[in-house]
Amino acid sequence: MPHPDRPAPADPPDSVDLPPSVDPPPSVDPPPSVDPPPSVDPPPSVDPHRARPLPVLRAMIDGLDREILQLLARRSVLVAEIARSKRESHTPIRDLPRERFVLSDRRERGRRLGLSPELIESLYRLILWDSRNEQAALRAEVPLDMEPRTVAVIGGEGRMGRLIADLFIELGHTVMSADLATPLTPEDAAAAADVVIVSVPIERTVEVIRRLGPRVRPEGVLADVTSLKREPMEAMLASTRASVVGTHPLFGPGVHSVQGQRVVMVRGRGDGWFAWLATMFHARGLNVVECGAEEHDRWMSIVQVLSHFASEVMGKTLQALNVPVEESLAFTSPPYLIDLLMVARHFAQTADLYAPIQILNPSTPEVTRAFVAAAQELRAQVVGGDRAALARTYDEVRAFFGSFTDLALDQSSFLIDRLVERA
């Protein structure tokens, strides 16, 4: 689904001293105890009973922040060396036991220094995420003997098409972009490439596949990135003798990084090319979910259709009530603000992109009918003042979610904290 354009990557630091060579430790021991820092005496010229001027204190803070940035830059240099080491040793980028150790160790060290463990954990989760992203960008999981391929992205001038093209460029492949206004035609690109990826609007996907499928080389692969899978998979298998793989990135082109995002893969024809694409996605930090085409479309009726429909109903209701959105922000709770942001984000996009996702999914009638029925049932309980019935509904739905409610409370609290921080 569409999102704002990604921000440009930050410029590298002006100068970073390379760390001296360090022999790796034979094992990781538990962290030593950390004594709290001694009290800091003010300079002799400063009256200890009076605070120093605010500009002086802020200048001192600025100096410390610059030191922190230099340390992060030095850490980044080590991360690049780790990426090279992992690639040479065929070691996966993500090491969950190591990450758990780092988070636990840094929390405890921070606590002993008088810092908030929650703050330290949040900071280091971001640092670890960026470290994984940097390693992926440096091709830490790309096999050393990987043969560069020629990849044609059909619809490569669209926002999603550009993201797909960039992904394969970063992995070291030659990418051709073919679109309506490019000198290179989709037909010529499909005939020349090893890998042909169709990234066009949903309603045009099957027609484009049928037109280009016969031009894809039999030894190549034809793939798509569509939000629905059954009809595109059938069209690809029927229109080409090449290998066929269905994919669906579960993110839009506005993400800051694809690191940690999910992509669904559907097997069509040719295990070799399926494995190659999965390797490329893993190498760029994506989490691959494999399933069949019909299973995928059923899940998308929940993940996309139900979610989008709920956002649309809330947006339409706010409009019908003529709610002054800006004024409501003065009274907002964090959960309401999260809902409001997601609804406004949804309507900031175009119906041309969202409508096909809902209209073309075969499970849409069933899902929207269940939504309306649930809304009517709950309305009767609330308007009718039936507290017992509403309590039963809470009990039934809570039992349905089970232990997921514990995770939901923890994760939503984290989201609320981050949202409040940016207010």
Side-chain angles (χ1 to χ4, degrees):
M1 66 186 69
H3 295 270
D5 290 328
R6 292 175 291 167
D11 293 329
D14 294 333
S15 64
V16 178
D17 295 331
L18 291 174
S21 59
V22 179
D23 294 327
S27 61
V28 178
D29 296 322
S33 59
V34 180
D35 295 325
S39 59
V40 179
D41 295 326
S45 60
V46 176
D47 184 346
H49 301 294
R50 295 184 60 187
R52 284 168 279 188
L54 185 59
V56 172
L57 294 171
R58 285 177 171 170
M60 295 173 69
I61 290 289
D62 290 343
L64 288 173
D65 285 346
R66 285 191 286 270
E67 291 182 32
I68 292 171
L69 291 173
Q70 280 292 323
L71 288 173
L72 288 172
R74 290 175 61 188
R75 191 183 195 281
S76 181
V77 172
L78 286 174
V79 168
E81 189 172 346
I82 287 172
R84 292 193 296 272
S85 176
K86 286 184 175 180
R87 189 176 188 191
E88 292 171 0
S89 61
H90 308 287
T91 302
I93 290 174
R94 188 124 203 216
D95 185 341
L96 288 174
R98 168 65 181 172
E99 290 186 15
R100 284 192 289 268
F101 166 77
V102 168
L103 293 173
S104 175
D105 175 73
R106 303 325 184 248
R107 278 179 62 99
E108 179 61 17
R109 289 175 182 268
R111 184 188 67 79
R112 294 181 181 180
L113 290 168
L115 301 172
S116 163
E118 291 74 20
L119 169 66
I120 297 303
E121 180 174 344
S122 294
L123 288 173
Y124 271 90
R125 285 191 181 278
L126 286 173
I127 290 171
L128 291 172
W129 177 88
D130 188 69
S131 174
R132 295 193 302 271
N133 190 51
E134 183 177 354
Q135 292 177 58
L138 293 170
R139 307 177 189 174
E141 284 198 51
V142 176
L144 288 169
D145 59 352
M146 182 201 73
E147 177 186 353
R149 299 290 188 173
T150 300
V151 179
V153 180
I154 311 302
E157 299 305 299
R159 295 177 63 212
M160 196 67 193
R162 290 198 300 270
L163 185 147
I164 297 298
D166 289 344
L167 186 151
F168 284 96
I169 290 171
E170 291 170 357
L171 291 169
H173 302 289
T174 300
V175 175
M176 301 183 293
S177 175
D179 214 317
L180 295 174
T182 57
L184 178 66
T185 67
E187 287 78 7
D188 288 342
D194 302 308
V195 181
V196 180
I197 301 176
V198 177
S199 177
V200 299
I202 297 176
E203 61 269 27
R204 293 198 55 219
T205 297
V206 170
E207 176 263 318
V208 170
I209 286 171
R210 288 172 177 162
R211 191 174 86 242
L212 301 183
R215 295 177 176 270
V216 181
R217 302 204 303 257
E219 66 273 18
V221 60
L222 177 60
D224 77 314
V225 295
T226 316
S227 297
L228 293 171
K229 290 270 75 75
R230 185 179 62 81
E231 289 189 4
M233 289 297 295
E234 291 175 352
M236 288 191 289
L237 288 168
S239 65
T240 185
R241 292 183 295 146
S243 294
V244 168
V245 179
T247 79
H248 178 197
L250 298 177
F251 53 91
V255 295
H256 297 295
S257 168
V258 299
Q259 169 67 38
Q261 299 287 349
R262 291 181 175 86
V263 58
V264 176
M265 294 186 65
V266 178
R267 291 182 185 269
R269 178 191 302 131
D271 290 341
W273 277 113
F274 183 94
W276 182 87
L277 275 171
T279 298
M280 294 302 101
F281 290 146
H282 277 302
R284 196 54 194 86
L286 288 159
N287 296 319
V288 173
V289 179
E290 181 181 352
C291 71
E294 293 187 358
E295 180 186 4
H296 167 275
D297 291 354
R298 284 196 303 273
W299 278 117
M300 288 308 105
S301 73
I302 303 300
V303 173
Q304 292 186 320
V305 174
L306 177 59
S307 174
H308 297 343
F309 191 65
S311 293
E312 288 156 2
V313 170
M314 182 172 176
K316 189 66 178 173
T317 302
L318 290 169
Q319 181 204 19
L321 295 172
N322 197 26
V323 173
V325 174
E326 294 292 337
E327 292 181 27
S328 77
L329 297 179
F331 304 92
T332 185
S333 64
Y336 168 77
L337 181 56
I338 290 174
D339 288 343
L340 188 65
L341 290 171
M342 297 311 297
V343 170
R345 178 188 181 95
H346 184 83
F347 282 99
Q349 320 300 328
T350 171
D352 291 339
L353 295 175
Y354 279 112
I357 292 174
Q358 298 178 85
I359 292 172
L360 298 178
N361 192 303
S363 297
T364 291
E366 175 190 359
V367 170
T368 53
R369 185 166 53 248
F371 182 98
V372 172
Q376 291 172 337
E377 179 183 355
L378 284 165
R379 182 181 185 278
Q381 293 172 3
V382 173
V383 174
D386 193 342
R387 295 182 63 174
L390 190 59
R392 286 194 300 272
T393 296
Y394 268 70
D395 291 340
E396 291 166 0
V397 176
R398 186 185 303 110
F400 166 77
F401 278 112
S403 61
F404 181 74
T405 55
D406 297 329
L407 176 64
L409 285 169
D410 180 65
Q411 296 284 60
S412 60
S413 295
F414 176 83
L415 292 174
I416 288 170
D417 288 344
R418 300 294 82 73
L419 186 62
V420 170
E421 288 167 6
R422 299 192 67 175

